[in-house]
Amino acid sequence: MKGERVEDTYEPAVDVKLAPTRLHGELAALLPKDALVKDSVKYGGWDAATAGLSGESPEDALIPTVSATYRSMGYTVTSDTDNNSSAMKQEYPQSARFFLVKAPEAAAAQPIADGIRDNLLAKGFSEISELELALGYQKTQPVKRYSRVDPGAEVDDVYVAYVKVVNDIVLFALESEAAPKAPGPGGTQISRVESSGLGTRLGGQLTVLASHRLLNP
């Protein structure tokens, strides 16, 4: 993922003809191509208990699901923008597991999203501010976000989850980064969860790209 905005171009990441079922192929067509980890795309069903792929074969899946892993260099923080000679730059590589879940009908999609939320909260995540998905002039839709930061002595493990329902499809991205401490003014730690723009968040970009694809076929 590059840049500070979502690119308009969208290329499928895989050959959908190789998907095990038609529905899996439709989901796989929504996967963005940039930053995809080679051979990471997996097909199966949805396991509500773990909020991940089930062990059943794709052909037998009652709730077809596709997942893929993405990696990006993330973003760079410069500690002193006024003095280049003393500035320190730190890059924050990010990875994300992206799930696309096909509910049996539109009414069943929100309960799946609610189950993802409950699973995240049980694992220590907290709900944070929503992303606003822009669809045109004065038209926006929310993308739910949840985060967890596991602080370390020198490195924080930062997790951000994104959940969006579009008709009968649930989009779920779980993003992670191992971020060295980055003190800001007065020694306070820079918030990599709330303060960073969409252009720096891999999981957010994946969710927005796939959402736009669904909403603008």
Side-chain angles (χ1 to χ4, degrees):
M1 296 296 170
K2 299 178 180 179
E4 292 297 323
R5 67 179 183 87
V6 176
E7 296 294 334
D8 294 328
T9 58
Y10 193 105
E11 294 183 50
V14 297
D15 184 352
V16 298
K17 295 178 182 178
L18 300 179
T21 71
R22 177 183 61 83
L23 291 178
H24 283 94
E26 292 177 1
L27 293 175
L30 299 170
L31 291 171
K33 184 176 182 180
D34 287 347
L36 176 68
V37 175
K38 185 178 180 180
D39 299 327
S40 69
V41 178
K42 298 185 182 301
Y43 301 95
W46 181 246
D47 187 340
T50 63
L53 279 178
S54 68
E56 63 189 325
S57 65
E59 293 79 7
D60 296 330
L62 297 178
I63 303 178
T65 303
V66 174
S67 73
T69 298
Y70 289 79
R71 291 200 181 97
S72 169
M73 284 310 297
Y75 59 102
T76 300
V77 170
T78 302
S79 60
D80 187 350
T81 57
D82 296 326
N83 188 346
N84 289 330
S85 62
S86 64
M88 178 182 67
K89 293 184 178 181
Q90 290 182 304
E91 290 188 343
Y92 296 88
Q94 297 172 344
S95 64
R97 192 70 186 170
F98 191 37
F99 297 88
L100 301 113
V101 186
K102 179 82 168 179
E105 57 183 1
Q110 188 59 51
I112 292 174
D114 292 342
I116 294 173
R117 175 203 61 204
D118 293 344
N119 186 279
L120 290 168
L121 295 178
K123 292 179 179 177
F125 282 72
S126 300
E127 187 168 355
I128 59 175
S129 62
E130 298 174 341
L131 285 181
E132 290 292 335
L133 177 61
L135 301 174
Y137 180 66
Q138 293 185 338
K139 293 182 180 180
T140 62
Q141 287 191 18
V143 177
K144 293 289 187 181
R145 292 201 307 164
Y146 307 85
S147 73
R148 191 181 85 196
V149 179
D150 297 341
E154 298 181 358
V155 175
D156 292 342
D157 291 323
V158 181
Y159 304 92
V160 185
Y162 306 79
V163 183
K164 175 65 180 171
V165 174
V166 181
N167 299 321
D168 60 351
I169 294 178
V170 181
L171 309 174
F172 169 39
L174 182 57
E175 165 195 289
S176 65
E177 67 181 54
K181 297 291 189 181
T188 58
Q189 292 300 315
I190 295 173
S191 173
R192 291 170 295 272
V193 174
E194 291 285 4
S195 300
S196 300
L198 175 59
T200 67
R201 307 305 323 187
L202 176 59
Q205 291 193 52
L206 295 169
T207 306
V208 168
L209 281 169
S211 296
H212 271 290
R213 180 78 172 192
L214 284 166
L215 294 165
N216 300 282

